[in-house]
Each structure stands twice: as structure tokens, then as C-alpha cells.
Amino acid sequence: MSDALLVASGLHRTYVMGRSRLHVLRGCSLSVRRGEFLAIMGKSGSGKSTLLHILGALDVPQEGQVLFEDRPVFAPPGKRRLYDTAFDMLSTCERQRIAYRRFAFGFVFQFYHLLPELNVLENVLLTRMVGCSTFTWWRERHQARHDALEILRRVGLHERLRHRPAELSGGERQRVAIARALVHRPKVLLADEPTGNLDAEAGAALLGLLADLHAEGQTIVLVTHDPGVAARADRVLRLEDGRLHSA
């Protein structure tokens, strides 16, 4: 197995908007090493989020492929569907893509995407519950709760377990989102403008947490438009006109 954990080659993604076609990615290729902290910079609307979603198997490219641990994430182009149907969930390729999202990748988004009716602990546990049968969850619930409490202590929220998102600051919500992304011990943490909705102090604290995780060996791919955020990474790429360039 090579040192490259995540490899993308020749990614193309186009969206149809009415009578127009928007070419977002035009042949993007990159390689992420194990334990690397990679930042991808680009202006708003450049396609950073689209690229991150494809790397994490949330979106599907029209052309190109992503390899995770030398295994393809997407079906061959001739058998690939851009939009899933209920029937697709039965296919081997789609089940594999779902498994990557559940076990290999962790996602942190700019706007948190926490469920408002759940408290902090429940939002974090949700990652472990998804896809479990009733029997499986009954068997694993104690270990899942232990893991959730451990990561919430790590991000400094062990005293806020019963609070709902509306009772938290922006920085606290984003730390919940990071805990949710890490509770299943993903091999790659994918962060989409994680400081974009935070003030300077909360943003600095969040970057410190990411730096600590990286120092412990966590592989991180982060997209941002902020040079100060990108400077914390080992390596920086710039996305312009649908293509990646060295920064």
C-alpha cells in the first residue's frame, strides 16, 4: 500500500443551471499523504466545496476517479450515476460509497449542520447510530457513549452535554461538529471553511484544535479562502478556473 491515502485524478464536475452549463471542476488531480494537513484555497464559488464533497464521496464526478487506500471510491464512468435513486442503494458500488462516508471520512461544515432538537451528546452519537440495526446499536451503545464522551472532553464540551445547539456559541457548535466528525475515528477529516462562521478568537481556538489533531497523526483536508487559515497546513493548493495549482 502506498503512502498516499487519498488520490484524485482527472475530476470533472459540471452542473446544468437552466440553459447554462457551469463547469466547476476541469480535471483536478491531487494526492494526500497519510498524516498530512492539506489546505485548498480558492475564492468563493471556485468549486472548493464541490471538490471536497467528491473527495469525501458525498458528490459524484462526471469524469475522473478517487482512490482511497488504493481502492476506487466511484463506479467506472459508464456505470456511474450522478444522482442516486432508491434502486442504487442496492448496488455494490453505492454500498461501498456509503461505507466510506460512515467509516473512513469525517466531515466538518461551515454551518455546523447540527440537529436543533438533539443535545450535544445526542448530536455526536448520531454518527455512530447511522446504519446500525436495533440489535447492533443495543450491543454497541455503551462503547459509543464512552467514545462520544471522550471526544467531547477533548474538545472542551464535557460540561455542555445536555445543551442544545441554540444554547451554544458559534465556536462551541463547531467543536460539537468536530466531535461528531471524529467519534468514529475517521482516517481523513474533511473540513469545509470550518472557521468561516466564527469570530477571530473562536477561529483561532478551532485552528489550534486542528493543529493538535494533526500532530497526533490525523489526516486533514481543509478548504478555505483565508490565507491565515491555509498557513497552518503542511501544503497549500489553489483552485482556479476549475484546476488545482501549487500555491
Side-chain angles (χ1 to χ4, degrees), residues 199-210:
D199 60 35
E201 182 179 356
L206 183 68
L207 289 175
L209 175 60
L210 292 178

Side-chain angles (χ1 to χ4, degrees), residues 69-122:
E69 294 184 327
D70 298 325
R71 296 190 298 272
V73 172
F74 303 105
K79 300 180 179 180
R80 190 177 300 174
R81 292 178 181 268
L82 298 181
Y83 304 101
D84 298 329
T85 66
F87 179 77
D88 293 324
M89 299 301 175
L90 302 176
S91 72
T92 300
C93 288
E94 183 58 22
R95 290 200 304 271
Q96 176 177 283
R97 194 158 69 98
I98 291 170
Y100 283 137
R101 294 196 297 263
R102 287 185 56 203
F103 302 114
F105 305 134
F107 298 92
V108 181
F109 302 99
Q110 179 178 352
F111 295 104
Y112 326 127
H113 296 307
L114 303 177
L115 295 183
E117 65 273 22
L118 301 184
N119 63 35
V120 166
L121 179 59
E122 291 165 342

Side-chain angles (χ1 to χ4, degrees), residues 2-221:
S2 70
D3 189 51
L5 181 62
L6 190 65
V7 177
S9 57
L11 298 180
H12 287 258
R13 190 65 168 100
T14 300
Y15 296 96
V16 178
M17 305 181 69
R19 298 181 181 180
S20 302
R21 295 176 66 85
L22 180 62
H23 299 280
V24 179
L25 303 180
R26 301 171 181 264
C28 289
S29 298
L30 62 85
S31 178
V32 183
R33 300 185 304 274
R34 298 174 189 277
E36 183 177 18
F37 188 169
L38 173 67
I40 299 172
M41 288 193 66
K43 63 183 181 181
S44 180
S46 63
K48 303 186 302 298
S49 294
T50 297
L51 176 57
L52 196 74
H53 291 174
I54 290 174
L55 292 176
L58 288 174
D59 198 359
V60 181
Q62 278 103 343
E63 299 178 38
Q65 183 59 275
V66 174
L67 300 179
F68 175 72
E69 294 184 327
D70 298 325
R71 296 190 298 272
V73 172
F74 303 105
K79 300 180 179 180
R80 190 177 300 174
R81 292 178 181 268
L82 298 181
Y83 304 101
D84 298 329
T85 66
F87 179 77
D88 293 324
M89 299 301 175
L90 302 176
S91 72
T92 300
C93 288
E94 183 58 22
R95 290 200 304 271
Q96 176 177 283
R97 194 158 69 98
I98 291 170
Y100 283 137
R101 294 196 297 263
R102 287 185 56 203
F103 302 114
F105 305 134
F107 298 92
V108 181
F109 302 99
Q110 179 178 352
F111 295 104
Y112 326 127
H113 296 307
L114 303 177
L115 295 183
E117 65 273 22
L118 301 184
N119 63 35
V120 166
L121 179 59
E122 291 165 342
N123 265 287
V124 173
L125 280 173
L126 197 60
T127 300
R128 295 286 288 267
M129 294 176 68
V130 170
C132 285
S133 66
T134 301
F135 173 76
T136 301
W137 176 247
W138 183 259
R139 185 184 60 199
E140 297 181 359
R141 70 192 190 286
H142 294 301
Q143 183 62 50
R145 180 182 172 85
H146 175 272
D147 294 344
L149 291 173
E150 181 178 338
I151 192 62
L152 284 166
R153 290 189 190 96
R154 174 67 191 277
V155 301
L157 291 173
H158 54 286
E159 295 181 352
R160 308 280 272 168
L161 301 179
R162 302 302 175 186
H163 289 74
R164 288 184 168 81
E167 301 172 288
L168 305 175
S169 68
E172 288 172 330
R173 293 180 198 180
Q174 195 61 294
R175 281 186 280 157
V176 176
I178 289 180
R180 179 184 59 191
L182 293 173
V183 72
H184 62 299
R185 299 184 178 90
K187 294 188 176 181
V188 183
L189 181 65
L190 300 157
D192 188 355
E193 297 278 9
T195 64
N197 205 34
L198 304 178
D199 60 35
E201 182 179 356
L206 183 68
L207 289 175
L209 175 60
L210 292 178
D212 289 344
L213 292 167
H214 171 51
E216 295 170 5
Q218 178 67 57
T219 304
I220 302 173
V221 180

